[in-house]
Amino acid sequence: MRADRGAGHAVGTTLGALLAAVPLVLAGLWGAGHATHVVDLADGAAWLVSPERGLVSLVDAPTAQVAVTLRLPVADAATRVVQGRDGAYVVRGGTLARIDAATWTVGGAVVFGDEDATLAVVPGAGREAGLWVLDGRTVRLVDARTLQVRATADLRLGDDVRAVVDDRGDLWAADDERVVRVRHEHGGLQPVPQRGPGGELVLVQGRAVLVDVAAGTVRPLDGRAGVSCAQTRSRSPGAAVAGSSTSPEVFAAFGGALRVAGTDGAACGTVARVGDRDTTLGALAEVAGYVVATDPRTGGTTVVDRRTGALQTFALTFPGHRVELVVRGSTVFWNDLDGHASGLLELTGGAWRSTPVQKYDPATGAGAQVARTDTARPGPADADPETASFRIVSLTPDRALYAPGAPAVVTPEITGEPVPGEVWWWRFENLVTGAFEDFRTPGVPIAFDALPDVGEYATTLVVVRDGSVATATTTVRVVTWCALTVSTTLVDLAVDPTVQVSVDPACPVNQEITVATAPWLDADTSAATVAGASGAVTLRAVAEPPTTGPVAGALTLEVTGQPASQVRVDVVGAAP
């Protein structure tokens, strides 16, 4: 691809490598690091990972938006993120790295185990309590900020270790055979094996409780007697368990049902059916008397009122995708570990509502609000952009969207008159990979002969004039398909059975739309198959709906051949 960095203004780019011809002075033009940021992590935000994309996004609950997206050094489907008090921790194999919530940076990975190890990472109770890091053989208490080891002890449990920290600050660790309590006292760690077999560990009102689903028992680990509940007994693998923060109860989900056992023996039974009998439910969480259960097979998530058994079901993700739940205060963050979707579940006016938040653009792979290399002030140290005699008013691409290989022109609008010797530097940065190219042009629009492959590219201009500096950035998006927009995500057939479907008029590609319905529905469609066109889908019931309320994801629409484009619509049925 052609690139003329001398007198011309047209450039080509492959982003294959940094340009060796760029002078070292660029180190002064493009600084590194980030300003200090303040986001309420205790109640209002959570770090959500997209493991296979190598991204982690800070989702802010008050705004229901991504505050920043950070790139991880490695994209690995097994990567996990553990929420901390003033940051979070990236766990991959036997390594651990800290995300600094103040500077929005990912620290270096610290090795605590073999590459194939499975670490359990649990924040301590209290701001200065440290961080517990353990595998089956060893338990460590490390500094929550520096990850330096404070104390260590032998644990002698299996590789599949589970752990919780109770309100007193004690760590409880278990495998299928044993339970160990670990205290930090007298400058060291004191592991104390407990009587009885192992199992799953949960916190109930801040106290550690051992759950043996196969035996149908719950056993508080503070010395109180255990309780047997036949309704929570199951030999099926993969039962999900969760403890209540507001009542002395443990919840278990298996066989498509949510069940409860009281640690005081007061409760034992089935709360509600949330799936088919052969369903293996996924993540489970309790908040304020409600239990949230995910169904990986359907992509649905159900919120159950513990008191009444009333259900609300939301079609949050694609079938087969893994979902994690993060409880922050009264908000439940949900995260599609295998896709771009995430969001909030919040109780408002007696009903739960789901607010989706897109972690990254599925059409380009670029993270929302991705952290980039900051632009520092070039030129004299006292140059102040606020007092500069000129500014870059706008930086405008000639299209909103581009197809791969298409040409592009980015035109700046700058106030004031040009002066001899002024410098124009450009940076073209791939927001998916972080790769970039820098080049210099005269004061004219910049033209790219052919854009690279699918992605999102930040184009930044820095102009130095008479010792002053001005900067501006715009984004160029390259796509092979465009997202679908629907007029509603909830259709009541008795009110209005029609859904309007549209595509961005700037979409540079032609695409077909695939419409699918539940077996009890039929769809008549006029949706066009060309870029920028809109259409309508009209639904009618051809059989009895399975419920009188909304049926999650009864209508799906997607760009043909692009599963990530799928839009799911809930439908309230009516008898045919």
Side-chain angles (χ1 to χ4, degrees), residues 252-264:
F254 55 85
L258 177 67
R259 306 164 194 271
V260 62
T263 58
D264 57 1

Side-chain angles (χ1 to χ4, degrees), residues 35 141 183 233 399 435 443 465 477 563:
L141 182 62
R183 279 183 175 169
R233 183 182 301 127
R399 289 185 59 95
R465 178 184 295 173
R477 296 182 63 219

Side-chain angles (χ1 to χ4, degrees), residues 277-298:
R277 294 187 181 276
D278 60 348
T279 297
T280 299
L281 297 173
L284 198 65
E286 187 272 349
V287 57
Y290 293 83
V291 184
V292 184
T294 64
D295 186 346
R297 188 181 67 173
T298 66

Side-chain angles (χ1 to χ4, degrees), residues 311-378:
L311 310 179
Q312 279 186 261
T313 300
F314 303 90
L316 299 182
T317 63
F318 302 121
H321 282 207
R322 299 169 297 160
V323 175
E324 69 170 344
L325 302 174
V326 178
V327 178
R328 292 292 223 184
S330 60
T331 300
V332 180
F333 292 82
W334 59 270
N335 179 31
D336 183 346
L337 292 168
D338 300 312
H340 64 280
S342 69
L344 318 170
L345 289 170
E346 298 172 296
L347 183 63
T348 304
W352 285 82
R353 64 182 176 88
S354 173
T355 305
V357 178
Q358 184 169 278
K359 296 177 295 180
Y360 61 87
D361 186 338
T364 65
Q369 302 296 326
V370 65
R372 303 189 302 110
T373 301
D374 291 338
T375 303
R377 296 200 306 263

Side-chain angles (χ1 to χ4, degrees), residues 282-571:
L284 198 65
E286 187 272 349
V287 57
Y290 293 83
V291 184
V292 184
T294 64
D295 186 346
R297 188 181 67 173
T298 66
T301 293
T302 300
V303 181
V304 183
D305 187 330
R306 167 67 185 93
R307 296 171 295 275
T308 66
L311 310 179
Q312 279 186 261
T313 300
F314 303 90
L316 299 182
T317 63
F318 302 121
H321 282 207
R322 299 169 297 160
V323 175
E324 69 170 344
L325 302 174
V326 178
V327 178
R328 292 292 223 184
S330 60
T331 300
V332 180
F333 292 82
W334 59 270
N335 179 31
D336 183 346
L337 292 168
D338 300 312
H340 64 280
S342 69
L344 318 170
L345 289 170
E346 298 172 296
L347 183 63
T348 304
W352 285 82
R353 64 182 176 88
S354 173
T355 305
V357 178
Q358 184 169 278
K359 296 177 295 180
Y360 61 87
D361 186 338
T364 65
Q369 302 296 326
V370 65
R372 303 189 302 110
T373 301
D374 291 338
T375 303
R377 296 200 306 263
D382 59 353
D384 185 358
E386 299 297 327
T387 60
S389 59
F390 73 103
R391 64 188 181 92
I392 304 176
V393 178
S394 62
L395 204 57
T396 308
D398 59 336
R399 289 185 59 95
L401 296 168
Y402 298 87
V409 176
V410 179
T411 303
E413 180 185 351
I414 303 179
T415 63
E417 295 297 326
V419 300
E422 72 180 27
V423 178
W424 287 40
W425 286 105
W426 295 82
R427 167 164 288 183
F428 192 73
E429 180 180 355
N430 187 326
L431 294 180
V432 177
T433 66
F436 61 87
E437 293 187 20
D438 296 323
F439 37 84
R440 180 177 176 176
T441 69
V444 293
I446 187 169
F448 298 98
D449 290 336
L451 291 171
D453 202 356
V454 171
E456 203 161 321
Y457 302 88
T459 304
T460 300
L461 171 63
V462 178
V463 178
V464 182
R465 178 184 295 173
D466 284 340
S468 296
V469 61
T471 67
T473 299
T474 191
T475 301
V476 173
R477 296 182 63 219
V478 182
V479 300
T480 54
W481 60 270
C482 301
L484 304 178
T485 301
V486 294
S487 57
T488 181
T489 57
L490 176 62
V491 173
D492 188 336
L493 298 186
V495 178
D496 184 355
T498 300
V499 180
Q500 299 294 330
V501 186
S502 60
V503 180
D504 190 335
C507 185
V509 295
N510 292 339
Q511 56 189 25
E512 294 183 348
I513 299 173
T514 298
V515 178
T517 62
W520 57 276
L521 276 177
D522 187 36
D524 295 325
T525 176
S526 66
T529 60
V530 297
S534 61
V537 177
T538 301
L539 300 172
R540 64 185 181 89
V542 294
E544 287 287 341
T547 178
T548 57
V551 179
L555 168 67
T556 62
L557 306 101
E558 67 178 58
V559 177
T560 304
Q562 300 292 343
S565 69
Q566 187 180 97
V567 177
R568 307 180 78 186
V569 178
D570 301 345
V571 180

Side-chain angles (χ1 to χ4, degrees), residues 124-174:
R127 187 166 295 277
E128 302 301 326
L131 184 74
W132 296 92
V133 180
L134 56 157
D135 54 23
R137 298 177 297 277
T138 307
V139 56
R140 302 173 181 87
L141 182 62
V142 308
D143 187 282
R145 293 181 178 272
T146 66
L147 302 185
Q148 292 182 339
V149 177
R150 294 178 180 174
T152 184
D154 291 337
L155 197 56
R156 299 178 183 177
L157 293 175
D159 291 337
D160 187 18
V161 65
R162 308 116 207 190
V164 297
V165 173
D166 64 23
D167 283 353
R168 296 175 299 183
D170 290 346
L171 173 76
W172 297 86

